[in-house]
């Protein structure tokens, strides 16, 4: 039996125990067994001497942490989004970063579509009304919303998840799809999605249902604010499954209260898990706690991919989904 010491890794977010078990043959494993993430000082303390860390979207990996954890070689996030990680700072220090793309695309698109439909058809609002015991009689306009089928679906951010939502809209619901993205899709990808690239302003003006699926960066902070909401149709809905901070939540609450747009569906919030209390005061909004990728098979696949990345990266293998592959092979 080898007496060589195994590298140490930290699983900073609780996950499926059988998936954590897969790490144990390779590493000395420390886990976070609580549902809460650790504050950064605690994370730094626990990372001392660790070669790898498994994280989720909530752990902030910045220069302070990297400088305080010189043994760290690999950061593996179970999320596809990585705005919590300073990737250039990792690259500069030779630290590999991996994320978990693809495995959550369809599940997240399902949820985005569900949230959009719930907003359009006023499902949460009418359920709350019913639970409050306020349903006394039927009326012709009671909770009458807007149609999804045949409507114009606007998508801001046409990556993998945006395209999966477009596919649902075009093929399942006969929607016209317009989108705005830094780069236009090749014509052969647009055609089966019935999708047309438009300027952002046209997207806002034309969409009956606008879904946000773009990655967060400071450049897109509050890209949807009061001015943009005012350009939208009063009958339109807005759905955000991307990241908090892309939408100015205070402006959105005001727009919903004023009837500037008809309804919204939010899965992500500025400063989550806290949320702007004004959002709770408007009825025409569906609010969910960042669960767009939360089906059991998909959360298992995300965790499994993060573990695969960690094992490969620290045992001389080829990590499946590196974000900064240029650090591989650097000694
Ligand atoms: C995750 C997500 O659940 O993958 C992402 O980028 O936003 C979600 O699927 C979350 O980030 C995990 O912390």
């Amino acid at each position: 039996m080898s007496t060589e010491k195994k590298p140490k890794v930290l699983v900073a977010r609780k996950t499926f125990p059988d998936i954590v078990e897969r790490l144990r043959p390779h590493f000395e494993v420390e886990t976070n067994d609580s549902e809460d993430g650790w504050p950064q000082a605690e994370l730094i303390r626990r990372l001392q001497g660790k070669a790898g860390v498994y994280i989720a979207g909530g752990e902030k990996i910045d220069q302070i942490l990297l400088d305080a954890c010189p043994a760290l070689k690999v950061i593996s996030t179970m999320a596809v989004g990585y705005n919590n990680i300073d990737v250039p700072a990792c690259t500069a220090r030779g630290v590999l970063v991996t994320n978990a793309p693809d495995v959550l695309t369809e599940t997240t698109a399902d949820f985005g579509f569900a949230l959009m439909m719930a907003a359009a058809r006023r499902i949460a609002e009418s359920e709350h009304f019913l639970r409050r015991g306020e349903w006394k009689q039927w009326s012709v306009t009671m909770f009458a919303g807007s149609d999804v089928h045949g409507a114009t679906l606007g998508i801001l951010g046409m990556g993998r998840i945006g395209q999966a939502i477009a596919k649902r809209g075009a093929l399942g619901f006969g929607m016209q799809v317009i989108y705005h993205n830094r780069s236009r899709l090749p014509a052969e990808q647009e055609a089966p999605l019935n999708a047309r690239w438009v300027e952002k302003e046209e997207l806002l003006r034309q969409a009956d249902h606008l879904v946000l699926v773009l990655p967060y960066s400071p450049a897109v902070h509050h890209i949807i604010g009061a001015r943009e909401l005012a350009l939208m149709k009063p009958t339109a809905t807005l759905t955000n499954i991307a990241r908090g901070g892309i939408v100015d939540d205070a402006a959105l609450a005001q727009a919903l209260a004023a009837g500037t747009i008809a309804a919204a569906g939010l899965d992500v919030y500025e400063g989550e898990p806290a949320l702007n209390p004004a959002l709770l005061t408007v009825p025409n909004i569906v609010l969910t706690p960042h669960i767009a990728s939360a089906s059991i098979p998909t959360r298992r696949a995300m965790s499994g991919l993060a573990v695969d990345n960690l094992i490969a990266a620290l045992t001389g293998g080829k990590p499946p989904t590196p974000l900064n592959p240029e650090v591989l092979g650097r000694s």
Side-chain angles (χ1 to χ4, degrees), residues 56-58 78-82 104 108 242-243 290 293 299 302:
M78 68 164 288
V80 63
Y82 50 88
L104 47 51
T108 305
R243 278 289 180 271
H290 202 147
S293 66
R299 284 285 166 84
M302 293 161 71

Side-chain angles (χ1 to χ4, degrees), residues 45-268:
R45 192 178 71 71
R46 292 185 185 261
L47 275 173
Q48 297 311 302
K50 305 290 192 306
V53 64
Y54 168 112
I55 60 168
E59 282 69 43
K60 190 169 176 200
I61 306 294
D62 57 10
Q63 305 205 22
I64 296 171
L65 181 140
L66 292 167
D67 288 342
C69 305
L72 199 55
K73 292 279 161 281
V74 182
I75 293 157
S76 174
T77 174
M78 68 164 288
V80 63
Y82 50 88
N83 56 299
N84 54 319
I85 306 172
D86 185 341
V87 179
C90 291
T91 307
R93 290 161 177 79
V95 175
L96 182 75
V97 185
T98 64
N99 71 336
D102 300 318
V103 289
L104 47 51
T105 300
E106 297 298 330
T107 297
T108 305
D110 283 351
F111 192 87
F113 216 85
L115 207 51
M116 181 256 281
M117 290 195 79
R121 296 302 307 276
R122 308 179 66 179
I123 288 176
E125 191 184 352
S126 59
E127 196 211 356
H128 294 150
F129 164 86
L130 191 141
R131 283 180 186 272
R132 288 193 305 266
E134 290 177 19
W135 187 23
K136 304 292 181 224
Q137 59 179 9
W138 182 90
S139 96
V140 68
T141 54
M142 185 171 71
F143 293 108
S146 57
D147 276 324
V148 170
H149 72 273
T152 297
L153 172 61
I155 299 179
L156 187 55
M158 198 61 148
R160 288 166 284 225
I161 299 170
Q163 290 174 49
I165 292 172
K167 187 175 72 185
R168 283 157 177 74
L171 305 185
F173 290 78
M175 300 177 89
Q176 292 80 48
V177 179
I178 53 176
Y179 72 97
H180 183 76
N181 199 48
R182 270 172 311 186
S183 52
R184 216 187 133 157
L185 293 179
E188 63 274 18
Q189 268 177 275
E190 282 184 347
L193 301 175
N194 193 19
R196 186 165 61 87
W197 185 94
V198 293
E199 292 291 350
K200 187 181 143 215
E201 192 152 319
E202 188 180 345
L203 184 79
L204 294 164
R205 290 186 193 280
Q206 299 296 327
D208 292 312
H209 304 293
L210 178 61
V211 184
L212 310 181
V213 217
L214 65 167
Y216 180 84
S217 71
V220 299
H221 188 75
H222 285 188
I223 197 174
I224 302 293
R227 194 190 81 83
E228 290 74 22
L229 291 161
L231 294 175
M232 293 176 70
K233 298 179 185 179
T235 49
T237 71
L238 173 72
T239 297
N240 186 9
I241 56 165
R243 278 289 180 271
I246 293 175
V247 175
D248 177 342
D249 287 346
L252 176 63
Q254 269 178 19
L256 289 167
T260 309
I261 64 169
L266 297 186
D267 188 47
V268 288

Side-chain angles (χ1 to χ4, degrees), residues 9-30:
V9 298
L10 180 68
V11 178
R13 273 290 166 154
K14 189 172 180 182
T15 190
F16 303 94
D18 60 309
I19 292 178
V20 175
E21 279 311 304
R22 286 166 43 196
L23 293 167
R24 296 197 196 278
H26 308 279
F27 309 116
E28 240 182 75
V29 184
E30 180 181 338

Side-chain angles (χ1 to χ4, degrees), residues 1 81 319:
M1 215 178 108

